[in-house]
Amino acid sequence: MSPAHDRIKDILAQAKQGKVQNSDIVSGKTNIKEVHKLWGASWLNLGNGYERDALSMGGGTYDFGIGSKTGIVYDLRYYYPLPDPDRGLTQFTFNAVIAALGMPKAVTCNGNDKIYTYTAGRHQLKFVGSKTAPNGKSSSIAHINLDDYVPNVVEALRDPDDRRLYALASSFNAGGLFVNKSLFAAAGAAAPTEASTWPDVMALAKRVRAAAGTGGFSACPSTAGMPIRSRTPGFTRCCCS
């Protein structure tokens, strides 16, 4: 086996522990205050809940996605932009990743980035590189991401009978329901709560429509897997359209 093969395997092994190279930070567990205590204040605020820091002596650059309420690092990104191709992540290509780990669970693109996603325990390990490469060649890896699964998502994926976790999805979308409280008040109806069922919501939607002449809800068509459409009585135009 090549050195690249062994190092990529090691990246996956560390990812299963919630870690990336040269760091004891654990995705989904470590609080950003602990990072600041060990490394000092991050040297760059990237916005949208992300900070960037770097270790000295070529130790690598790290981005931290931070939970706004908990301060927990849930997204850990590692860059190793060294000019020496024998040490940096750029020595690895997507083909080398496949040779070491097999085909990814998912292949996606974001802008000019191509992303190979692998399951690493309760985490998702993502190899990110350019989606364009010279003819006949495979793009090099620019950085890796290690995402922690949201606990509520993990619970939602458990078997409803034995509560065991048999698989993890490569992605998970949460729908949203928006309520116009003024229209509900005008219709003399109470807004739905967490205890409301979808039949309850549908009945309220029709009641608001009858009283106000317009919809009091707005929801994505795929909300909770329900066939909700903007033409459903009581619902306004789909918020995702």
Side-chain angles (χ1 to χ4, degrees):
M1 296 296 180
S2 67
H5 182 280
D6 292 339
R7 287 197 59 191
I8 293 170
K9 285 279 192 180
D10 185 57
I11 288 173
L12 178 61
Q14 291 185 69
K16 290 179 178 179
Q17 301 176 46
K19 299 179 181 180
V20 296
Q21 291 89 320
N22 304 323
S23 167
D24 287 328
I25 298 166
V26 179
S27 178
K29 290 186 178 181
T30 303
N31 193 289
I32 191 63
K33 292 181 180 179
E34 298 177 52
V35 180
H36 292 165
K37 184 177 180 180
L38 291 171
W39 295 8
S42 299
W43 62 271
L44 184 61
N45 187 330
L46 300 174
N48 297 318
Y50 278 83
E51 296 182 7
R52 175 168 293 172
D53 211 337
L55 292 178
S56 60
M57 303 299 291
T61 299
Y62 301 80
D63 288 351
F64 310 111
I66 307 160
S68 59
K69 294 183 178 180
T70 63
I72 298 296
V73 176
Y74 66 88
D75 184 4
L76 184 55
R77 303 180 181 183
Y78 175 71
Y79 304 77
Y80 208 173
L82 292 174
D84 181 358
D86 293 330
R87 297 183 62 199
L89 284 173
T90 54
Q91 68 176 300
F92 306 138
T93 64
F94 284 116
N95 284 348
V97 172
I98 291 175
L101 305 181
M103 292 303 296
K105 187 177 183 66
V107 178
T108 56
C109 290
N110 182 17
N112 193 47
D113 288 339
K114 180 165 63 174
I115 306 167
Y116 279 16
T117 301
Y118 292 84
T119 298
R122 59 167 289 161
H123 301 86
Q124 292 187 108
L125 173 61
K126 300 176 181 179
F127 293 87
V128 184
S130 175
K131 68 180 181 182
T132 58
N135 290 336
K137 294 187 177 181
S138 177
S139 294
S140 297
I141 304 303
H143 68 275
I144 58 175
N145 285 25
L146 186 60
D147 300 337
D148 182 53
Y149 278 90
V150 177
N152 286 347
V153 171
V154 175
E155 290 305 310
L157 295 174
R158 291 187 184 279
D159 185 279
D161 296 320
D162 62 22
R163 303 306 299 159
R164 295 179 65 181
L165 186 66
Y166 292 97
L168 287 171
S170 60
S171 62
F172 196 93
N173 295 321
L177 182 67
F178 297 84
V179 179
N180 188 323
K181 292 184 178 180
S182 297
L183 289 180
F184 271 78
T193 67
E194 291 184 359
S196 300
T197 64
W198 279 111
D200 293 337
V201 172
M202 291 301 187
L204 283 171
K206 293 176 181 178
R207 180 176 172 183
V208 171
R209 170 71 73 179
T214 186
F217 291 104
S218 180
C220 294
S222 61
T223 297
M226 295 296 294
I228 297 174
R229 299 289 186 272
S230 57
R231 62 177 177 270
T232 301
F235 281 83
T236 61
R237 178 178 61 85
C238 172
C239 63
C240 295
S241 60

